[in-house]
Amino acid sequence: MGIRNLPPASALTAPTREAPHRLVRVLVVDDSAYVRFTVSRHLSEAPGLAVVGVAGDGREALELIPRLQPDVITLDVEMPRLDGLSTLREIMARHPLPVVMLSSLTTEGARETVQALTWGAVDVVAKPAARANIVAAMDEIIAKVRIAAGARVAPIQNGSHPERARSADGRAAAKRTRPLRARDKVVVIGASTGGPRALTAVVAGLPADLPAAVMIIQHMPVGFTRSLAERLDALSPLAIHEAAPGDALEVGRALVAPGGFHMAVDESDRVTLNQNPTVHGVRPALDVTMVSAVQRYGAGTVGVVLTGMGRDGTNGAQLIHEAGGYVVTEAESSCVVWGMPRSVAEAGAADSIVPLPEVAEAIVRAVMADGISLMAYR
C-alpha cells in the first residue's frame, strides 16, 4: 500500500515553527492571588520563560494583552466578572494566542475546560488538590507553556461547532449501535496537544452508519476524559462514551480511553483497561491501543494520528501499515503541533496525509475500501 499525499521529503524534516530565540512572554490570569504568585514565580525561574504580567480576571487580561503582547497565556477556568471560557472566546476572536487552561477537577470545571479545548485552548493543567503537589503541577505548567509557545492557533469561527442532530420535536436523535460483523473495521484515533478541537471536527464528520467500531485516545489529565466523551457525543452522529472495562466494540459506537488508563481490546471484542507503566510518558498511549487492535483485527484496522507532540502512535501505525491496514495522519498545515503525525510520516507508515477538514472523509474511504474480513483475524 503506497504512501499518498505526502509532502516533499524536505518538509517532513522541517520543524513546525522555528525555535524562539527570545524569552517566551507569559501572562498569568487567575483570581487567586496565591496561584498568581506561585505560577508566576515558577515560570519566571524557568529558563527561557518570562512572566510579563498578571491579571485577576478576564476583563483585566483582555485590557493587558494588547499592551503586554504575551506569547502564551495561562488562564483559570473559574473567575469572577469574566470567566475563563468567556475570556478565551474573546482572546481567540480578538487576539488569537496559545492558551493553557488551569482547571479544578470539579464536574463543572472539567466540562468548561473541555469546551475551552474544543474552542482552541492548546492544553490543560489540573490544579493540585493539595499544596503538597504544587511542584509537580508547576513542572507540568512549565512544560505545557513551552509547547504552547510553538503551537499554531486559529481564531474561533462562529458556527464552527455542529450540534447534535435533532428530531422535529427538538429532542436529540436516537443513536443506534450493533455488534461487529465480518467485514466491519476498527478505527483507532489518537491525539495529544490540540486534540480536543481536532477530535470535534473528525467525529462530527463521521456518518452514523459507518461500518466500523471506533476507539479514541486523547492525552489528557485524569478527570477530564468523561467530559470530553460527553462533549464529542453531543457533536457526533456516533454514540460516544468514556470506556469502561468490558465495554463491547460496536458499529456506531466510539469509546474514549479514560485518563490514567491504557485501553486495549480482548479476544471477545471487549475493552480492557490497565494502569501499566506509561508509554512515551503518557497513559493512555495510542501505541498501546493500536498494537492491541492490529493484533486482533489485522488488515481490518484503520489508524488515525492527529495533532500532538512526540511520537506516540508511530509504532502502532507501522504495525497497522505492515499488516495491510490503513493509516491516516493529519497534515502539518492544520496541526496545532505537528509532532505525532510527523513521526508517523517520517517512519513511512502514513497511507494518507490530509488537513483536518479532510480527515473524516479519509477515514470513511479507508473503512469502505475493499479489505480482508475481520473474521480472518479472530
Side-chain angles (χ1 to χ4, degrees):
M1 193 177 290
I3 296 179
R4 291 173 284 282
N5 302 324
L6 277 171
S10 58
L12 293 178
T13 57
T16 300
R17 282 176 52 176
E18 292 184 4
H21 297 289
R22 60 182 177 83
L23 292 176
V24 175
R25 298 164 58 85
V26 186
L27 173 63
V28 176
V29 185
D30 201 292
D31 65 321
S32 165
Y34 170 76
V35 172
R36 291 197 303 272
F37 170 78
T38 304
V39 172
S40 298
R41 181 169 65 85
H42 282 82
L43 289 175
S44 297
E45 292 173 352
L49 304 181
V51 174
V52 295
V54 298
D57 59 54
R59 290 183 183 175
E60 184 180 0
L62 292 171
E63 293 172 358
L64 290 174
I65 289 171
R67 178 163 59 86
L68 299 179
Q69 298 187 343
D71 300 305
V72 180
I73 298 170
T74 68
L75 181 62
D76 186 20
V77 173
E78 299 167 334
M79 297 184 297
R81 291 216 300 168
L82 194 65
D83 61 82
L85 198 57
S86 300
T87 303
L88 175 71
R89 288 184 64 88
E90 291 299 316
I91 291 172
M92 299 305 290
R94 295 158 53 180
H95 317 284
L97 289 167
V99 175
V100 176
M101 305 300 295
L102 305 187
S103 174
S104 67
L105 280 174
T106 63
T107 299
E108 184 62 25
R111 185 180 298 115
E112 291 187 356
T113 299
V114 167
Q115 190 169 5
L117 292 169
T118 65
W119 285 356
V122 173
D123 216 328
V124 57
V125 177
K127 288 185 176 181
R131 292 192 178 185
N133 301 325
I134 196 70
V135 173
M138 291 305 106
D139 288 344
E140 185 179 1
I141 291 172
I142 290 168
K144 291 187 174 182
V145 164
R146 285 179 170 147
I147 293 170
R152 285 190 181 87
V153 176
I156 291 176
Q157 297 178 358
N158 292 331
S160 61
H161 299 292
E163 296 298 328
R164 178 186 290 187
R166 293 184 178 273
S167 58
D169 62 3
R171 292 178 300 178
K175 300 183 180 185
R176 296 182 178 180
T177 64
R178 64 165 174 81
L180 284 173
R181 295 174 183 165
R183 299 192 68 82
D184 297 331
K185 296 184 180 179
V186 172
V187 179
V188 183
I189 306 173
S192 187
T193 309
R197 190 174 190 180
L199 287 169
T200 296
V202 172
V203 301
L206 295 177
D209 59 353
L210 182 75
V214 179
M215 305 173 79
I216 297 173
I217 295 82
Q218 167 66 50
H219 299 165
M220 186 172 264
V222 176
F224 293 96
T225 45
R226 177 166 296 180
S227 292
L228 174 64
E230 292 171 353
R231 174 73 176 167
L232 295 178
D233 181 64
L235 300 172
S236 174
L238 303 177
I240 302 181
H241 312 280
E242 183 182 53
D247 278 349
L249 268 63
E250 294 182 319
V251 168
R253 188 183 197 191
L255 297 173
V256 177
F261 288 87
H262 293 307
M263 180 167 66
V265 60
D266 66 16
E267 65 280 358
S268 300
D269 303 321
R270 293 185 177 275
V271 162
T272 65
L273 302 175
N274 68 72
Q275 290 188 301
N276 291 342
T278 60
V279 177
H280 309 298
V282 296
R283 189 177 56 222
L286 176 57
D287 268 333
V288 171
T289 306
M290 280 185 160
V291 170
S292 174
V294 75
Q295 288 175 341
R296 175 72 177 148
Y297 306 113
T301 311
V302 176
V304 183
V305 183
L306 303 176
T307 176
M309 186 172 183
R311 65 181 310 274
D312 187 24
T314 300
N315 295 338
Q318 287 177 302
L319 290 176
I320 293 171
H321 185 74
E322 292 167 2
Y326 199 91
V327 177
V328 178
T329 63
E330 184 181 352
E332 179 184 8
S333 61
S334 63
C335 281
V336 173
V337 177
W338 193 52
M340 288 164 52
R342 171 185 175 180
S343 179
V344 174
E346 290 179 337
D351 296 296
S352 182
I353 299 177
V354 295
L356 183 61
E358 299 175 23
V359 170
E361 181 182 351
I363 294 171
V364 173
R365 288 199 305 267
V367 169
M368 300 305 295
D370 290 337
I372 300 173
S373 167
L374 296 187
M375 293 300 292
Y377 291 88
R378 298 187 180 183

